[in-house]
Amino acid sequence: MMTKGEHKEINIDRINNYFENPRHDVANSQTDTLKKLFEAVGIQYMLNLAEDVLKNGFLGCAQPTLVYDKKMDKYIVYEGNRRIACLKLLLYPDMFTFLGKASVDKIKKMTNGTNLEDMKTVFCYITNEEEAFFIMERLHSGEDKGRGTKKWSSREKENFKVRQNHSKNISYLIDFYIKKYFEGYDITKIIPFT
């Protein structure tokens, strides 16, 4: 598939979340879309993501994918709905009355004293619906014989932590020495352990 889109900064007020997001039932308004998304994902998970977005912003490699809707004169989020919803929550917590007072107050406390002006524009990938669907499917379908994102195994996660921190922990060392000295052997037949 040839790339058809462009990268642009878009004001958050010009972005709507996708009301047909596969994570939830079809919604009938923007508020209903956000409510269904928070309920489907889990409010606490979304609050955790909002805190991460506030602290770290968006990952450069994970730009939201948007499609412009002429009729609405807005951009629709096809990929990145959770992050955009969390950004809206940080910027406009009073709009999220369906979360309850405690959650809204938690967000207000979290953002108190923070300059959120820089967060009002989002660097996005703007494309057509066909490519947006292709991107969504590729990101959310698993590895698909090497074509999609491959989830790390427990060993790969541990290797990442060791390499990132430049220090070896006990589980890494056990794995390393077992592979080094017992390559090709079924260790459970050589050494009795549980």
Side-chain angles (χ1 to χ4, degrees):
M1 167 170 277
M2 294 294 292
T3 302
K4 297 174 177 90
E6 62 180 320
H7 300 273
K8 281 172 64 171
E9 279 194 349
I10 306 294
N11 187 293
I12 193 71
D13 297 331
R14 300 213 51 226
I15 300 173
N16 275 353
N17 285 77
Y18 186 40
F19 71 98
E20 291 188 61
N21 187 330
R23 292 188 190 276
H24 57 73
D25 293 335
V26 175
N28 57 30
S29 69
Q30 191 55 199
T31 302
D32 190 40
T33 301
L34 293 169
K35 180 179 184 220
K36 287 179 188 289
L37 179 60
F38 273 73
E39 288 171 350
V41 173
I43 292 171
Q44 190 55 54
Y45 287 105
M46 292 296 283
L47 293 175
N48 292 345
L49 180 57
E51 186 175 8
D52 186 66
V53 167
L54 179 64
K55 182 179 176 185
N56 301 308
F58 287 176
L59 299 176
C61 65
Q63 297 169 357
T65 300
L66 311 181
V67 174
Y68 180 70
D69 184 308
K70 289 179 188 176
K71 196 170 162 183
M72 294 173 56
D73 191 29
K74 292 224 179 201
Y75 292 89
I76 309 301
V77 183
Y78 277 64
E79 179 56 41
N81 274 280
R82 292 182 315 128
R83 287 171 281 140
I84 292 294
C86 287
L87 184 56
K88 289 177 180 181
L89 173 63
L90 293 168
L91 292 167
Y92 309 114
D94 290 326
M95 186 175 104
F96 290 76
T97 55
F98 58 84
L99 292 179
K101 184 174 178 356
S103 295
V104 171
D105 288 346
K106 181 177 181 178
I107 291 296
K108 287 180 178 180
K109 184 178 179 184
M110 188 188 309
T111 59
N112 188 24
T114 305
N115 181 3
L116 300 174
E117 284 303 309
D118 290 343
M119 297 180 90
K120 287 190 176 181
T121 58
V122 183
F123 195 65
C124 302
Y125 181 66
I126 313 301
T127 189
N128 60 31
E129 191 174 65
E130 179 187 1
E131 187 180 22
F133 284 145
F134 175 80
I135 291 167
M136 289 169 69
E137 185 175 16
R138 186 58 84 219
L139 288 175
H140 294 284
S141 296
E143 185 182 1
D144 189 24
K145 299 178 185 170
R147 291 183 286 247
T149 304
K150 184 179 187 305
K151 186 176 179 179
W152 278 347
S153 68
S154 297
R155 176 179 281 161
E156 292 164 337
K157 286 179 191 176
E158 197 62 38
N159 286 341
F160 173 75
K161 287 179 190 173
V162 166
R163 292 169 187 166
Q164 180 185 26
N165 298 327
H166 303 289
S167 65
K168 296 170 178 71
N169 59 27
I170 191 70
S171 61
Y172 174 84
L173 291 171
I174 290 169
D175 180 61
F176 175 81
Y177 286 110
I178 286 174
K179 284 194 309 191
K180 181 176 179 179
Y181 294 110
F182 296 100
E183 189 67 37
Y185 293 103
D186 181 355
I187 193 166
T188 60
K189 293 184 174 148
I190 300 169
I191 302 172
F193 69 94
T194 58

